[in-house]
Amino acid sequence: MTKRQRIKRQRLIKQMAIVAVIFLITAIMLMILSLKSCSSGDFDMAESTPSLESVSDASKFNSGEDVSNALPLRISVERISLNANTVTISVGEKNSPVATVYPENATDKSLIWTSSDVSVATVDSNGNISAVAEGSCVVTAYSNDNKNISAQINVTVTAKVEEKILI
């Protein structure tokens, strides 16, 4: 191999090394942009693709920002607690049990309320129980996050007590 061929070969190796470094820097930049964009929920590949000019300056890739906690964390409901296990109300009356969802920092703390017998007592989307007729039923609060998590309250509806005025 002549001296000229060796020089040409060395230049080619250097050029290949430069291309490899640019490729590596581009890949790292795309990963960082993906993490940042995914955490904000508005990732657009067309807007996030680096230009050759930006790739040439490696200092632009390290913003110093910690992205280890950037992705939103979903915290599932583990249990529901009601302030009472049973309630007795008269026809026409209402009762509003207090539900507490745990953990307190659960992502979706909303509840779905149901009655086992709407002819006895109904329950609205806020958990307000309305007595309809004498009898018993069970009102259940289900986690919207996980339908397997629930709490129940036994409801007894008694006849409406009429006050008699004695003269």
Side-chain angles (χ1 to χ4, degrees):
M1 182 181 292
T2 66
K3 186 175 180 180
R4 187 176 178 166
Q5 288 174 329
R6 277 195 308 260
I7 292 172
K8 203 174 194 183
R9 184 175 179 158
Q10 287 175 346
R11 282 185 185 161
L12 182 62
I13 290 171
K14 285 180 184 178
Q15 288 173 345
M16 289 173 46
I18 291 170
V19 169
V21 168
I22 290 173
F23 177 79
L24 187 61
I25 291 171
T26 303
I28 292 169
M29 183 179 153
L30 284 173
M31 288 189 323
I32 291 170
L33 288 173
S34 293
L35 285 174
K36 288 181 181 180
S37 296
C38 287
S39 68
S40 67
D42 60 355
F43 182 74
D44 183 358
M45 189 64 180
E47 293 176 6
S48 301
T49 305
S51 66
L52 288 177
E53 296 81 31
S54 65
V55 171
S56 63
D57 184 6
S59 66
K60 292 181 182 177
F61 302 114
N62 186 8
S63 66
E65 188 176 331
D66 180 16
V67 293
S68 60
N69 294 323
L71 296 177
L73 185 63
R74 178 160 182 72
I75 300 171
S76 297
V77 172
E78 294 173 7
R79 73 180 173 96
I80 301 167
S81 174
L82 294 173
N83 66 331
N85 293 326
T86 62
V87 65
T88 301
I89 52 179
S90 298
V91 173
E93 291 183 343
K94 295 183 181 216
N95 184 281
S96 300
V98 177
T100 307
V101 177
Y102 297 97
E104 291 181 7
N105 62 340
T107 304
D108 181 0
K109 294 169 73 172
S110 61
L111 299 174
I112 299 168
W113 294 86
T114 62
S115 171
S116 64
D117 189 347
V118 293
S119 66
V120 173
T122 60
V123 61
D124 68 16
S125 61
N126 296 315
N128 301 310
I129 301 169
S130 298
V132 177
E134 287 183 73
S136 297
C137 67
V138 177
V139 169
T140 306
Y142 292 95
S143 166
N144 190 50
D145 178 54
N146 180 349
K147 307 299 186 270
N148 294 321
I149 307 291
S150 64
Q152 296 179 333
I153 186 166
N154 295 310
V155 178
T156 303
V157 178
T158 59
K160 189 173 187 176
V161 178
E162 307 242 354
E163 292 183 26
K164 294 183 180 179
I165 300 174
L166 299 174
I167 301 179

